[in-house]
Amino acid sequence: MNLNTARSEKRAKEIGVRKAVGSAKAQLALQFLGESLMVVSIAFVFAIILTAICLPQFNQVVDKQISIPWNVPYFWLSCLAFVLFTGLTAGSYPALYLSSFKPISALKGVTARLNTGRFSGSPRKVLVVLQFTVSVTLIIGTIIVFRQIQFAKNRPIGYSRQQLVSSPIKSDEIIKHFAAFRNDLLNTGVVEEMAATDSPVTNTYVTNGGFTWPGKDQAMADEFVTLRITHEFGKTINWKIKEGRDFSKEFPTDSMGFILNEAAVKYMGLKNPVGQIIQWGKNGGYKVVGVVKDLVTQSPYEPANQTIFFINYKRISLVNMKIRPSASASQALAQIQAVFKKYDPENLFQYNFADLEYAKKFSDEERIAKLTTFFAALAILISCLGLFGLASFVAEQRTKEIGIRKVLGASVAGLWRLLSKDFVILVIVSCFISAPIAWYLMTGWLEKYSYRTEISWWIFAASAAGALGMTLLTVSFQAIRAALLDPVKSLRSE
């Protein structure tokens, strides 16, 4: 719309001639609508080609398998309806505006008079404000999404993921000869420490209830995440002991011992947890030997679950191995595989790196961030095109004014400020509109995360500064071009 109306001065005489020779307003309107539909139709052809080219990469980003339904009539009917809607909507205002030129005024080159008045430029200005409101909102949203991801990634997780590899236990032979199996892994020289668990460290999912501890409310329905481990688990993942001690084979009673995390201590309301006896159903009493800092074993965006760790060598299903930093990963895995084959020759050796498994927890948010970034860039491009059109329109309208100002001594910098001022005001208005919208939308999005970043004021300031910078870059081309124009040419009357 803005680009078409910006060309109004150049097409004024054409419209005047057409009207003078008998063209009706409806005929001219249909012509301009036809031009708009033609442009949109050509754009649609290019869009289909670009979609076909970009779809494989897009599927990777969104983790989907989307394809173009070439043989589905409904798809093509929908596309046709969309082309018609876009073409008619985009061409409606220019068609009505351009076809309304009076023949005599148009032929005299004074179409600007048709466009004077307090609210003459309102439709174009509203479009620019609307476009930049969307753009700035998307910019703010993109920054907040990236901050939320980074905030969760920087969260202390209570253990070391580096060089930590896990492999499922598929054979009872490993469980039966666990001590020998562990020694063989350590003797490879590439495994620094190892331990077994009944679920992955990065995704502990086993829960249990029926615990009783001093001061517990009898009406309370308790639930804990429980993790069966072997003695060397703490050394393998390098967890942090806050109170008491780690499990040790030097203490045979540790087979009936618990280690709690901070969340579990808080959940139970224990003041001095070490040494407390916790009953677990009919299994008897377990003594708390230590407390560890919270481990992020599930969502990095949620608080750590109350977790109980206890020794169990019979119901283990996963081997966790800490590879030495000096060892090559490929060589280390080859030697580890040889040990697994010795005890389990029938099953394929499989493994997962803890840091890669943990990184998968951010996949949804990173996908949102990539898509938001793309759409923000697209919205900014479209907004700048609209702004460029409006700048062209204003420059065309004010050509003679600029010429007079130059004759009277106005500088290029002064004219640049004069032409840019109105556009800066429009973008500032957009920023004030987009700020509460973005705050409301992103606050609602962040509320689904218990562990979330804050929405800082500088995000809005930086987004507004970026929008203003892009505005000045876009407008400056037309403003400086108009300011540098020879006043003799500007004031010449044809």
Side-chain angles (χ1 to χ4, degrees):
M1 287 184 184
N2 282 333
L3 291 171
N4 279 337
T5 52
R7 295 169 57 207
S8 60
E9 290 284 344
K10 295 180 179 179
R11 301 200 65 175
K13 287 184 173 56
E14 173 198 341
I15 296 163
V17 171
R18 285 179 179 274
K19 281 197 167 185
V21 297
S23 293
K25 182 177 179 180
Q27 291 175 315
L28 291 171
L30 286 173
Q31 176 194 338
F32 296 127
L33 285 173
E35 290 176 4
S36 177
L37 284 169
M38 183 179 68
V39 171
V40 174
S41 299
I42 295 171
F44 172 71
V45 173
F46 281 105
I48 286 289
I49 295 170
L50 282 173
T51 302
I53 294 171
C54 299
L55 202 53
Q57 289 77 16
F58 181 78
N59 283 334
Q60 289 182 358
V61 173
V62 300
D63 194 25
K64 302 287 184 184
Q65 289 300 320
I66 303 170
S67 60
I68 300 175
W70 301 104
N71 300 322
V72 180
Y74 175 76
F75 168 72
W76 294 108
L77 288 173
S78 300
C79 290
L80 177 62
F82 189 71
V83 167
L84 289 172
F85 173 78
T86 306
L88 294 174
T89 304
S92 59
Y93 175 69
L96 295 173
Y97 168 71
L98 295 173
S99 63
S100 66
F101 286 173
K102 294 179 180 179
I104 296 175
S105 298
L107 289 170
K108 285 182 177 180
V110 289
T111 55
R113 293 177 188 173
L114 297 168
N115 219 30
T116 57
R118 185 178 178 185
F119 301 105
S120 59
S122 296
R124 288 181 295 276
K125 292 178 180 178
V126 167
L127 282 173
V128 170
V129 170
L130 179 62
Q131 289 172 338
F132 268 89
T133 297
V134 173
S135 299
V136 175
T137 301
L138 284 170
I139 292 170
I140 294 169
T142 302
I143 295 172
I144 292 173
V145 170
F146 274 109
R147 275 176 57 83
Q148 172 65 2
I149 294 171
Q150 206 58 42
F151 183 73
K153 283 185 175 180
N154 293 337
R155 177 185 182 182
I157 63 170
Y159 64 96
S160 174
R161 303 188 308 269
Q162 303 303 318
Q163 302 295 103
L164 186 62
V165 181
S166 63
S167 180
I169 298 174
K170 301 178 181 179
S171 172
D172 291 339
E173 291 299 312
I174 293 177
I175 298 175
K176 291 177 182 177
H177 305 93
F178 185 79
F181 172 73
R182 178 175 181 277
N183 287 332
D184 285 348
L185 282 174
L186 295 177
N187 288 335
T188 61
V190 297
V191 177
E192 189 174 287
E193 191 55 270
M194 68 83 66
T197 58
D198 64 338
S199 60
V201 183
T202 55
N203 189 25
T204 305
Y205 50 82
V206 179
T207 59
N208 278 292
F211 296 90
T212 304
W213 59 89
K216 178 190 176 183
D217 183 354
Q218 296 302 314
M220 178 181 182
D222 62 285
E223 184 179 27
F224 292 84
V225 172
T226 56
L227 187 64
R228 296 173 176 86
I229 62 175
T230 57
H231 283 85
E232 296 79 13
F233 177 74
K235 294 179 182 178
T236 303
I237 68 167
N238 193 29
W239 65 9
K240 309 300 180 185
I241 300 292
K242 185 180 179 182
E243 296 181 46
R245 59 175 177 81
D246 201 345
F247 288 126
S248 174
K249 291 181 180 178
E250 297 179 2
F251 299 91
T253 55
D254 281 359
S255 60
M256 292 296 290
F258 278 165
I259 287 182
L260 312 177
N261 70 345
E262 293 173 299
V265 173
K266 184 178 180 180
Y267 181 78
M268 293 178 174
L270 299 176
K271 299 296 182 183
N272 299 296
V274 177
Q276 299 276 7
I277 302 298
I278 298 175
Q279 300 290 330
W280 186 8
K282 298 179 180 179
N283 297 328
Y286 287 77
K287 183 178 180 180
V288 178
V289 300
V291 177
V292 294
K293 288 187 174 294
D294 288 335
L295 276 63
V296 180
T297 59
Q298 293 181 332
S299 172
Y301 301 104
E302 301 296 330
N305 292 311
Q306 53 273 14
T307 307
I308 296 175
F309 305 90
F310 61 99
I311 299 295
N312 189 306
Y313 280 80
K314 294 181 179 179
R315 295 180 61 182
I316 51 177
S317 58
L318 202 74
V319 175
N320 302 279
M321 296 160 285
K322 185 76 168 182
I323 297 177
R324 292 186 183 278
S326 58
S328 165
S330 57
Q331 294 178 358
L333 289 171
Q335 294 185 55
I336 292 170
Q337 182 178 7
V339 175
F340 269 82
K341 283 292 182 183
K342 177 181 175 181
Y343 290 88
D344 184 12
E346 297 181 358
N347 291 305
L348 181 68
F349 172 66
Q350 296 177 317
Y351 61 90
N352 290 302
F353 282 91
D355 52 355
L356 297 179
E357 290 299 306
Y358 189 78
K360 291 179 182 178
K361 297 178 182 291
F362 302 95
S363 59
D364 289 342
E365 285 71 23
E366 288 177 338
R367 191 177 300 120
I368 292 171
K370 289 178 181 178
L371 290 173
T372 309
T373 303
F374 173 77
F375 285 116
L378 192 61
I380 291 165
L381 175 62
I382 295 171
S383 300
C384 288
L385 286 174
L387 196 64
F388 186 84
L390 187 57
S392 303
F393 180 82
V394 171
E396 289 278 358
Q397 277 194 322
R398 303 181 73 172
T399 301
K400 284 185 171 57
E401 177 194 343
I402 293 168
I404 293 170
R405 288 179 179 273
K406 287 197 75 173
V407 170
L408 295 175
S411 65
V412 173
L415 291 171
W416 172 77
R417 286 195 298 271
L418 175 70
L419 294 173
S420 302
K421 179 181 66 176
D422 291 339
F423 302 107
V424 170
I425 291 172
L426 290 178
V427 175
I428 290 173
V429 170
S430 300
C431 293
F432 276 106
I433 296 173
S434 64
I437 295 172
W439 181 86
Y440 175 77
L441 294 174
M442 297 314 297
T443 299
W445 182 73
L446 287 172
E447 280 180 354
K448 69 178 184 178
Y449 302 106
S450 299
Y451 191 82
R452 56 181 177 264
T453 187
E454 294 181 354
I455 301 179
S456 304
W457 65 269
W458 67 262
I459 297 174
F460 300 93
S463 301
L468 287 171
M470 288 181 288
T471 299
L472 291 174
L473 284 174
T474 304
V475 172
S476 292
F477 174 78
Q478 288 292 347
I480 294 173
R481 180 185 174 190
L484 292 174
L485 195 65
D486 187 349
V488 174
K489 294 181 179 179
S490 304
L491 295 172
R492 180 183 296 153
S493 178
E494 297 182 11

